[in-house]
Amino acid sequence: MRLGLAAVLLAVGCSVHAPRRGDALAPTIRLGPDRTAVAYDDPREADKRVLLDRINRDRAAAGLPPLRYEPRASLVGDLFCLDAALGGFWGHWDNLGRPPFVRWGLSGGVDFHAQNSAAISSSDGTTERPVLALMLETHQAMMDEKPPKDGHRRTILQPEYTHVGIGVAVAGGEFRLTQEFTRVAFEWIEIPSKPLVAGATATFAGRPLAGWEVGAVEIRHEPPPRPLSARQLRRLGSYGYPNLVHTLTDFAVDGTGAVSVQFRLSEGPGHYFVLCFVGNRMRPELGLTPATAAMITALP
């Protein structure tokens, strides 16, 4: 069994590049509360509901609120797991070189996201045990981790997450499982409706749920992916969100609490991620934690 670590790197720093005057802003799309209700006819939904119940029992034992099921995240996980099982690789990246947050963004996901990943390979090329038993076994292995090597367990017990999707696939003797955690802390999020050209000005807007307010916004840049061989994929370990390029602390906030920012796609082609850090007005001691991972693509 090989287990990967979903670590999130949240450094702060760097300078802001202001948009040029006269830039034409691209059309946007607004994603509201229905973004967590994508229809997915999941053939393994019954098994996933059992694992969801186990996850929530573990969270309840730690005094944490339950997670709701996220069908979009489950579909993203299923596609990745099937690709990994057929290709005989494991970890977090796919064979096109895309990390979890890029696949999540390509699916239309805009909320903060983190992934646990697990794999079991059978030497005789067959999987005889029930899939549900393998799902529960790999989850328990994550929960049994001990500090400091307990990244999976800490991800499962992260208080801020609100939803989870579950990906699973079996191909021959290859079993793959992912847990796709998300945090819904915004009523709506608005991003460009299509890819932009590198160097253009991008816009982002969103309104946090009641009780939350945005304290900082980070812009991070992921270069265009490059295909990876199965051998390269097997050697990759944990992952984090990409390099920080802007930290925005001076942004517009309207009377409803909605924020809006503009920034230049200054790092060239690739994927830019808008990470909004929110704080709870009633519990300032909690500090700021990430709530979005909205992706904006820049073409050459």
Side-chain angles (χ1 to χ4, degrees):
M1 182 185 302
R2 301 173 179 86
L3 302 176
L5 168 62
V8 179
L9 307 179
L10 300 174
V12 177
C14 212
S15 59
V16 177
H17 294 258
R20 290 192 298 255
R21 290 184 179 179
D23 281 342
L25 299 180
T28 60
I29 183 171
R30 178 172 293 193
L31 303 167
D34 58 347
R35 65 186 182 274
T36 62
V38 173
Y40 176 32
D41 187 11
D42 187 347
R44 294 194 182 275
E45 184 173 355
D47 287 346
K48 293 179 182 182
R49 292 287 180 180
V50 174
L51 179 53
L52 174 65
D53 183 64
R54 174 70 66 84
I55 291 170
N56 281 333
R57 290 207 310 268
D58 290 334
R59 286 177 64 87
L64 300 174
L67 301 176
R68 283 164 281 178
Y69 189 65
E70 226 287 13
R72 184 198 304 269
S74 289
L75 176 56
V76 172
D78 279 346
L79 293 172
F80 171 69
C81 286
L82 181 59
D83 192 28
L86 291 172
F89 60 87
W90 52 81
H92 296 289
W93 283 261
D94 63 22
N95 55 9
L96 295 178
R98 300 176 304 189
F101 47 83
V102 170
R103 297 192 300 271
W104 175 239
L106 290 172
S107 79
V110 291
D111 300 293
F112 192 72
H113 172 273
Q115 182 197 73
N116 278 341
S117 178
I120 298 176
S121 297
S122 172
S123 57
D124 63 7
T126 62
T127 302
E128 298 180 355
R129 297 182 59 203
V131 172
L132 177 57
L134 295 174
M135 294 169 65
L136 295 174
E137 176 184 304
T138 51
H139 172 76
Q140 190 59 50
M142 295 177 187
M143 289 301 299
D144 289 341
E145 293 173 344
K146 304 298 181 185
K149 297 182 179 181
D150 62 338
H152 297 93
R153 182 177 180 276
R154 286 185 283 110
T155 299
I156 294 167
L157 300 181
Q158 185 72 25
E160 289 81 14
Y161 294 136
T162 60
H163 293 68
V164 67
I166 296 165
V168 65
V170 175
E174 302 293 333
F175 167 81
R176 300 292 184 270
L177 173 77
T178 65
Q179 298 172 340
E180 312 276 343
F181 296 90
T182 67
R183 179 189 187 183
V184 176
F186 273 64
E187 179 183 345
W188 55 264
I189 292 172
E190 191 171 279
I191 57 174
S193 59
K194 61 183 180 180
L196 306 180
V197 176
T201 296
T203 61
F204 168 93
R207 183 164 66 203
L209 295 175
W212 297 94
E213 57 186 11
V214 178
V217 181
E218 290 185 355
I219 310 300
R220 292 173 174 265
H221 175 251
E222 176 78 3
R226 295 182 179 181
L228 298 171
S229 67
R231 177 184 236 176
Q232 289 173 311
L233 288 165
R234 290 170 185 157
R235 285 155 56 183
L236 293 172
S238 62
Y239 79 96
Y241 275 81
N243 290 336
L244 177 69
V245 294
H246 309 313
T247 298
L248 312 178
T249 55
D250 184 16
F251 42 82
V253 182
D254 69 16
T256 70
V259 303
S260 59
V261 299
Q262 295 183 12
F263 60 94
R264 294 195 63 76
L265 305 177
S266 58
E267 305 303 303
H271 302 295
Y272 292 75
F273 291 85
V274 182
L275 273 61
C276 288
F277 289 75
V278 298
N280 190 310
R281 298 182 191 128
M282 303 303 295
R283 299 192 63 188
E285 73 277 5
L286 297 178
L288 298 177
T289 49
T292 68
M295 187 177 85
I296 300 170
T297 298
L299 302 176

